[in-house]
């Protein structure tokens, strides 16, 4: 997949959300305090998300991010 592509679900203590794209996913994690911008800048979160395999999970603060199969 090219940078920016992908589908992700994010499970937080309050809710579960779905996002298309690494940029939107990284922005949500930063804007809602799950990621620390000093330690995990936007570009680094995008880089990590882009390299996840389908079904792979990553914890970011109290949120769990799972890479989903691309939508058709």
């Amino acid at each position: 997949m090219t940078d920016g592509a992908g589908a992700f679900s994010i499970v937080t203590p309050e809710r579960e959300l779905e996002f298309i794209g690494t940029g939107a996913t990284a922005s949500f994690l930063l804007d809602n305090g799950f990621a620390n911008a000093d330690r995990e800048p936007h570009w680094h979160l995008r880089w990590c998300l882009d390299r996840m395999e389908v079904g792979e999970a990553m914890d970011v603060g109290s949120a769990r991010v799972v890479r989903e199969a691309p939508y058709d």
Side-chain angles (χ1 to χ4, degrees):
M1 296 189 131
T2 61
D3 186 15
F8 300 89
S9 64
I10 299 178
V11 179
T12 73
E14 295 82 31
R15 58 192 167 164
E16 183 171 346
L17 304 151
E18 292 188 1
F19 289 91
I20 301 295
T22 58
T25 305
S27 292
F28 173 82
L29 293 168
L30 288 164
D31 293 347
N32 289 278
F34 296 107
N36 178 335
D38 293 330
R39 191 180 65 226
E40 302 159 326
H42 195 271
W43 69 265
H44 186 257
L45 281 173
R46 288 185 67 162
W47 184 85
C48 292
L49 293 165
D50 191 52
R51 281 146 186 80
M52 291 174 71
E53 298 291 329
V54 172
E56 185 177 353
M58 173 175 65
D59 292 330
V60 181
S62 61
R64 176 160 279 241
V65 181
V66 180
R67 180 119 195 201
E68 304 292 347
Y71 297 124
D72 291 331

